[in-house]
Amino acid sequence: MKGNGTDKKENMLMSIGIQINEKRVIGVRDEMLYGHFIEHFHRQIYDGIYDPKNALSDEDGFRTDIIEAMKKIKVPVLRWPGGCFVSSYHWKDAVGPERKPLFDKAWRVEEPNTFGTDEYIKMCRKIGCEPYICTNAGTGTAEEMSDWVEYCNLEKEGQYAKWRIANGFETPHKVKYWSIGNENYGPWEIGAKVSDEWGRLVREAAKMMKHVDPETELSAAAIPDVNWTFHLLQTCGAYIDWISLHQYWDMVPEENNLADYEACMAFTERIDRQVDVVRGMLKALDLEKKIKIAFDEWNLRSWHHPNVHTIKQGVDKAEYIAPRDKNDDNSAYTMADAVFTACFLNAMNRNCDIVKMANFAPILNTRGCIYSHKDGIVLRSTYHVFDLFANYMGDTVVDLWVDGELPKWQVKNKWGAVTEIETLDMLATKWSTRPGLAISAVNKHRTEAQTIVLDCCAGKKVTVYMLQGKDENAYNDVDRTEVNIITKELGIGTERMEIELEPHAVHVIKIV
Ligand code: AHR
């Protein structure tokens, strides 16, 4: 396939031999690796997926176009309601006929509480995904968290199960996944904790939540900080099932100065560093077979919300509310975001023996892979990466290595320092239910096409699904579609199959 129209020779790097041993299984990917997150922030819930007055919404007030887009990428799990929002949220205000409006102290807006637990469960059923509830470990208590589990999971024992039944939900919601707190390690978080406090609260909360429903799986916020996480694991390792990690690489909460393409590629270096560090701690405590990692908030770009994660808060809404609309600028979500997202998903697949969940933050609006407006939706570049991984890649990761060295590329990171990265990021998968291979091949280089050579295609049908834009800054918007998946049938493969990978592009090579 041609690159961006320039002469093939001029742009071509040397051919790279790729070896795959499909008998050597790295791990079986949990489908929750392609999970998502939605928060009560800006237009994710209200005027987002929950928009009862919109003609595109169903009888329960959910936008059917957004639900259908989520079903297409097989959203397996959807974390809710926050995020920072949750650390001063009380779930009891948002169930039943009387909803108590809340002043949301995290984001400094009124939360009407018309969307609560029961609406969230309805939404998950419509999408066909697992619920994953994050509880309030900021101003909340172990009792309030375990009451929430009672409300969702007990048949009829106690007041909270009876309350759910009275609210019209006879059958328990059966929420399996729960997070104890959000980022309570961070000074920006309401109800931030020090390590000792955190360990005790998590242990007591875990105890009470498991006493209500031992089948729940509980996660707790951790960071790749040995003191915080080691102490947490020593105090609560016996009680929790998951460790929760978060990361945004291009940090722009205060100033929306987005990293350019090359700087975004610099962020792909050691993209799984947090996983490495936490894996080491779990191993040191002999917990790596018991506790899984949920990377339950991640995105290349952090959300832009100036003057609220700060000590000095904005006074005029123009300072701290209006700037949130800058997240809605669709031109910000380019091939840089798509290439980075593919590299992250490749890395999590390579760690699928311990990383069993990851949640793109968020799925809708803000930095989401779907943008919605009153008349429809825009599928941003990252949406198509999830389409490629959820619908074209296999569930079993197998060994892949490269003959010799991968080509390197010197790029400037966001602070102007030169760093050298590999231009290619590849992952090989197969299916547990049928023959064939699916290879994710990401060419990070901004301008140079790359040729790879595969020796596993002889006699097999080879198809390349490529996500590319006209250049690295291509994006989709209400009135423009520059980024989508192109299918290229390469016919029956030969012993030595050369495949050209376009620059700034994500490819899935299907060999069946
Ligand atoms: O920017 C959004 C925030 O990022 C989420 O609410 C929080 O969990 C993380 O700090």
Side-chain angles (χ1 to χ4, degrees), residues 39 83-84 107 182-183 188 246 248 297 303 305 309:
E39 178 165 354
C84 294
W107 299 123
N182 183 52
E183 299 175 345
W188 58 84
H246 290 181
Y248 298 92
E297 271 189 44
W303 306 3
H305 38 59
H309 264 192

Side-chain angles (χ1 to χ4, degrees), residues 14 20 38 85 143 203 218 258 273 279 291 340 342 406 409 437 448 488 492:
M14 74 277 192
I20 294 169
I38 196 163
F85 167 79
E143 186 165 43
R203 189 181 52 207
L218 308 180
L258 302 179
R273 182 190 154 276
R279 181 196 287 270
I291 292 182
F340 179 92
L406 276 175
W409 177 33
L437 286 174
E448 306 281 353
K488 178 84 177 174
I492 300 303

Side-chain angles (χ1 to χ4, degrees), residues 38-57:
I38 196 163
E39 178 165 354
H40 287 236
F41 174 83
H42 205 39
R43 294 188 312 106
Q44 294 178 32
I45 296 288
Y46 303 106
D47 295 339
I49 194 162
Y50 189 61
D51 192 356
K53 294 193 177 67
N54 191 301
L56 293 169
S57 295

Side-chain angles (χ1 to χ4, degrees), residues 19-30 33 272 279 289 346-356 395-401 426-430:
Q19 304 302 326
I20 294 169
N21 177 351
E22 65 177 274
K23 292 190 174 60
R24 192 169 182 283
V25 172
I26 306 295
V28 178
R29 165 185 54 83
D30 191 301
L33 212 56
D272 55 359
R279 181 196 287 270
K289 296 285 181 244
N346 276 354
M348 293 308 113
N349 270 280
R350 283 191 281 266
N351 287 280
C352 68
D353 63 310
I354 198 164
V355 182
K356 299 292 182 185
D395 58 358
T396 305
V397 179
V398 295
D399 200 10
L400 175 149
W401 66 96
M426 298 195 63
L427 175 84
T429 64
K430 66 181 183 183

